């Protein structure tokens, strides 16, 4: 980092001048990257340091974002060790415009290297921290410890059965940390590492009543059971049902009949795992109706999920062309939560009503 940039950091009040001088001295004497010292030892916030870099270099600051997938073609003729040492990476290409993230946009030698590597392009620079650039490199080349595809699929089971913090109030689903996004990134990274010539991720939608029925439907359509079982990672079924309006939501004590309907819908053999008993203080939620929801009692949508993971037992059943009921039994034994069960869980959380769940989850 140049002295004028360090002065800019000190001027912003990110670090005391005495600490900055000590960091510079330690960096030189111990041959430690100054950025690492500022972030780890002196606790300079990453976003604040990045913002200072953007102001100094007069270009956008780009931090690491796991949702960004780098086209492997951009890295095809570039050495990983060189990019790591030089601290730059091609982020994306749109026509003849190439977006580069680099730790020093003023470095003329690196600029010449980039133009030689990508002739005929217009380079658009953004500044990034060295560790963020390195993380992009690790992920793009499949060397990051982001979890295997199987591990990420396991996280999807949790996502399918758990509401995100704050979702009940906002009515929106934030996908920033979604395992779905990480799964897509990991598939691309592993394909690049294995030298695949083409990568196709096709979110295919098939209208069936459950994830298990999707399997039998595809087999009925002519899919080879052995090839399908070998390729299947999982099947995700989803429904949207009406969400109780947060502006007029109220709690009430349901009748014994309502409780019994929930138990029957969830399955008496599974209900005890929820730890819900019919007591005098047990409550559910409903919407009174207000101006905000046009007196309907509902505003927004809540998602119901059912994730069938392609375990070895499930794959064996697919290869044997087992009946839907048999596959469902094994899937639930392995912990799968059905659409109806997931909906009832959200009824108990006060997000929707059982009537709305039945309307979309039972056909």
């Amino acid at each position: 980092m140049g002295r004028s940039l360090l002065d800019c950091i000190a001027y912003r009040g990110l670090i005391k001048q005495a600490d900055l001088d000590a960091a510079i001295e330690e960096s030189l004497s111990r041959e430690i990257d100054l950025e690492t010292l500022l972030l780890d030892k002196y606790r300079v916030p990453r976003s604040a340091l990045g913002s200072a870099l953007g102001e100094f270099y007069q270009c956008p600051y780009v931090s690491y974002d796991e949702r960004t997938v780098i086209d492997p073609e951009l890295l095809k003729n570039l050495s990983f060790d060189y990019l790591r040492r030089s601290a730059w990476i091609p982020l994306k290409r749109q026509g003849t415009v190439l977006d580069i993230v680099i730790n020093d946009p003023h470095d003329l030698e690196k600029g010449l290297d980039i133009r030689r590597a990508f002739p005929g392009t217009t380079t658009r620079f953004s500044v990034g921290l060295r560790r963020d650039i390195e993380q992009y490199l690790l992920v793009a080349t499949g060397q990051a410890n982001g979890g295997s595809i199987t591990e990420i699929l396991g996280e999807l089971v949790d996502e399918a059965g758990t509401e995100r913090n704050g979702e009940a109030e906002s009515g929106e689903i934030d996908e920033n940390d979604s395992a779905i996004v990480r799964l897509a990134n990991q598939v691309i990274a592993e394909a690049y590492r294995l030298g695949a010539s083409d990568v196709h991720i096709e979110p295919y939608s098939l209208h069936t009543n459950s994830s298990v029925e999707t399997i039998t439907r595809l087999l009925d359509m002519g899919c080879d059971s052995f090839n399908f079982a070998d390729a299947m990672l999982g099947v995700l079924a989803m429904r949207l049902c009406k969400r109780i309006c947060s502006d007029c939501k109220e709690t009430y004590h349901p009748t014994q009949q309502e409780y019994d309907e929930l138990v029957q819908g969830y399955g008496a053999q599974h209900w005890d795992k929820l730890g819900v008993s019919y007591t005098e203080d047990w409550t559910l939620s409903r919407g009174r109706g207000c101006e905000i929801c046009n007196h309907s009692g509902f505003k927004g949508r809540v998602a119901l999920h059912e994730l069938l993971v392609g375990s070895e037992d499930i794959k064996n059943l697919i290869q044997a062309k087992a009946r839907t009921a048999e596959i469902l039994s094994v899937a639930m034994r392995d912990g799968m939560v059905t659409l109806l069960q997931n909906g009832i869980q959200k009824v108990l959380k006060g997000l929707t009503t059982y009537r709305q769940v039945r309307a979309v989850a039972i056909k």
Side-chain angles (χ1 to χ4, degrees):
M1 292 185 181
R3 186 71 219 185
S4 55
L5 172 57
L6 297 175
D7 291 340
C8 177
I9 293 173
Y11 177 76
R12 276 176 160 240
L14 302 180
I15 185 174
K16 296 178 181 178
Q17 186 63 54
D19 289 337
L20 180 59
D21 292 338
I24 295 172
E25 183 177 348
E26 183 176 357
S27 173
L28 294 173
S29 62
R30 297 179 56 192
E31 297 184 351
I32 299 176
D33 180 53
L34 182 57
E35 175 190 303
T36 300
L37 284 174
L38 293 176
L39 292 173
D40 296 341
K41 183 173 182 178
Y42 293 93
R43 302 298 181 186
V44 175
R46 182 182 295 202
S47 59
L49 181 57
S51 178
L53 289 172
E55 179 182 338
F56 175 77
Y57 288 113
Q58 293 296 297
C59 66
Y61 159 64
V62 173
S63 61
Y64 173 71
D65 186 345
E66 66 178 10
R67 294 169 295 173
T68 300
V69 179
I70 297 176
D71 184 355
E73 282 296 315
L74 294 176
L75 304 175
K76 192 172 183 179
N77 298 317
L78 297 172
S79 164
F80 172 84
D81 291 333
Y82 163 74
L83 291 176
R84 190 175 191 176
R85 186 173 60 254
S86 301
W88 66 269
I89 188 171
L91 203 61
K92 63 181 178 180
R93 184 174 187 170
Q94 295 177 314
T96 60
V97 178
L98 180 69
D99 286 335
I100 297 289
V101 180
I102 187 170
N103 73 326
D104 183 359
H106 291 176
D107 191 315
L108 297 179
E109 186 175 344
K110 293 179 184 178
L112 290 174
D113 286 346
I114 292 169
R115 289 175 177 82
R116 281 193 291 264
F118 299 97
T121 60
T122 300
T123 305
R124 190 163 54 189
F125 286 107
S126 297
V127 66
L129 297 174
R130 179 179 288 272
R131 63 176 53 182
D132 286 340
I133 295 171
E134 183 172 322
Q135 185 65 23
Y136 272 125
L137 278 170
L138 292 172
V139 171
T141 55
Q143 300 181 50
N145 185 22
S148 67
I149 290 176
T150 301
E151 291 170 342
I152 298 174
L153 274 173
E155 292 182 28
L156 279 173
V157 176
D158 297 331
E159 284 195 5
T162 305
E163 284 293 316
R164 283 187 170 276
N165 292 334
E167 182 185 341
E169 297 300 324
S170 67
E172 298 178 355
I173 299 175
D174 182 5
E175 62 178 19
N176 287 1
D177 300 315
S178 172
I180 287 284
V181 176
R182 293 179 53 237
L183 175 62
N185 288 352
Q186 188 67 14
V187 168
I188 293 173
E190 289 196 16
Y192 173 81
R193 179 176 57 82
L194 295 172
S197 59
D198 294 284
V199 179
H200 298 278
I201 298 180
E202 301 182 12
Y204 183 71
S205 176
L206 189 66
H207 297 283
T208 60
N209 293 330
S210 68
S211 58
V212 175
E213 289 185 28
T214 300
I215 294 174
T216 54
R217 174 75 65 83
L218 288 172
L219 294 180
D220 290 342
M221 290 169 60
C223 288
D224 180 80
S225 59
F226 283 87
N227 289 336
F228 177 71
D230 184 58
M232 191 193 83
L233 298 175
V235 180
L236 178 67
M238 186 179 74
R239 298 287 187 276
L240 293 176
C241 72
K242 294 180 181 180
R243 180 188 292 270
I244 296 173
C245 175
S246 59
D247 290 278
C248 62
K249 182 164 70 173
E250 64 179 9
T251 58
Y252 72 99
H253 179 58
T255 64
Q256 180 69 49
Q257 181 181 352
E258 289 179 88
Y259 176 83
D260 292 341
E261 288 178 352
L262 289 174
V263 174
Q264 182 180 0
Y266 199 87
Q269 67 274 32
H270 304 292
W271 181 261
D272 290 341
K273 298 177 183 178
L274 299 178
V276 177
S277 303
Y278 187 77
T279 59
E280 291 184 358
D281 58 350
W282 180 63
T283 61
L284 293 178
S285 297
R286 62 189 176 192
R288 293 189 310 273
C290 63
E291 294 290 339
I292 301 297
C293 63
N294 199 24
H295 300 285
S296 67
F298 298 96
K299 186 175 184 295
R301 294 290 186 270
V302 59
L304 313 182
H305 303 93
E306 175 183 301
L307 179 65
L308 172 66
V309 177
S311 66
E312 286 302 316
D313 288 341
I314 293 295
K315 291 185 176 186
N316 290 336
L317 289 174
I318 294 173
Q319 291 174 349
K321 297 184 179 180
R323 294 179 296 109
T324 300
E326 190 175 356
I327 298 175
L328 176 61
S329 176
V330 172
M332 294 188 68
R333 183 203 67 191
D334 291 345
M336 187 187 80
V337 176
T338 67
L339 281 169
L340 184 58
Q341 288 176 331
N342 187 248
I344 291 174
Q345 290 176 0
K346 289 170 182 177
V347 170
L348 298 176
K349 291 179 180 179
L351 301 177
T352 187
T353 66
Y354 187 46
R355 181 178 180 181
Q356 294 300 323
V357 169
R358 286 177 55 88
V360 300
I362 298 179
K363 299 295 182 182

